[in-house]
């Protein structure tokens, strides 16, 4: 069973974009988001845009999740923990795209950068990030077998 939807009334795109495979979502007239005008959003973990990015990511729409979160990242205050958190999620999305493209080296580079950003957020009290993810931010990027992340996720 897949992860539960946060916005079940919002339809997923007709395909998960992979560069070089199928029409570009926004530049190609055949793209699933062609002609859709971007909406100005304020950076918030409580926003529909953030939840939409989560739904997209959790269901394998990595390029689309990146796009959903990028608008939030662009409006977040420079140097803020929220901006770092969103950048980490964007990099995890890029990791998913690179894995699907069969490009392990760029995938590892993106994952490493995401991990560094998200682990930095565990050194300060950022419980709202943990609540948004359902786990501490560093766990979202780490493939740990220590059980620390598993236990932390179960306690939230």
């Amino acid at each position: 069973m897949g992860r539960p939807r946060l916005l079940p009334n919002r339809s997923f795109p007709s395909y998960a974009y992979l560069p070089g495979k199928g029409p570009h979502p926004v530049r190609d007239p055949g793209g699933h988001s062609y002609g859709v005008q971007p909406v100005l959003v304020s950076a918030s973990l409580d926003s529909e845009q953030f939840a939409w990015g989560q739904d997209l990511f959790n269901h394998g729409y990595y390029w689309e999740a990146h796009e959903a979160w990028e608008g939030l990242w662009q409006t977040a205050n420079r140097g803020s923990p929220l901006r770092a958190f969103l950048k980490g999620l964007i990099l995890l999305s890029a990791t998913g795209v690179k894995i699907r493209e069969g490009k392990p080296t760029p995938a590892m580079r993106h994952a490493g950068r995401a991990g560094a950003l998200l682990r930095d957020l565990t050194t300060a009290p950022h419980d709202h990030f943990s609540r948004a993810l359902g786990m501490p931010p560093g766990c979202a990027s780490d493939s740990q077998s220590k059980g620390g992340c598993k236990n932390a996720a179960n306690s939230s």
Side-chain angles (χ1 to χ4, degrees):
M1 182 173 148
R3 296 195 67 149
R5 295 281 310 272
L6 300 173
L7 302 173
N9 295 328
R10 194 161 175 183
S11 298
F12 282 133
S14 57
Y15 59 92
Y17 178 64
L18 192 61
K21 311 274 188 205
H24 187 279
V26 296
R27 290 194 299 248
D28 188 299
H32 61 62
S33 298
Y34 183 77
V36 175
Q37 296 302 312
V39 177
L40 290 176
V41 293
S42 62
S44 169
L45 298 180
D46 297 322
S47 70
E48 183 175 317
Q49 190 69 11
F50 182 76
W52 180 232
Q54 287 179 286
D55 269 352
L56 291 165
F57 185 90
N58 289 339
H59 293 275
Y61 294 86
Y62 301 120
W63 186 92
E64 293 79 3
H66 175 286
E67 291 293 302
W69 287 328
E70 189 165 6
L72 297 170
W73 174 79
Q74 289 173 343
T75 61
N77 292 331
R78 290 191 186 280
S80 69
L82 177 58
R83 190 172 171 102
F85 178 70
L86 291 166
K87 180 70 171 184
L89 296 180
I90 289 167
L91 286 165
L92 286 178
S93 297
T95 300
V97 171
K98 294 302 178 189
I99 289 170
R100 286 214 173 133
E101 288 180 309
K103 298 179 178 179
T105 301
M108 293 298 294
R109 185 174 55 247
H110 289 316
R113 290 175 56 210
L117 285 167
L118 295 172
R119 276 189 298 277
D120 283 349
L121 296 174
T122 63
T123 61
H126 298 296
D127 287 343
H128 50 288
F129 297 144
S130 297
R131 280 192 302 277
L133 289 178
M135 67 182 76
C139 294
S141 63
D142 290 340
S143 56
Q144 297 182 3
S145 59
K146 300 176 213 164
C149 286
K150 181 179 177 186
N151 295 337
N154 291 336
S155 68
S156 54

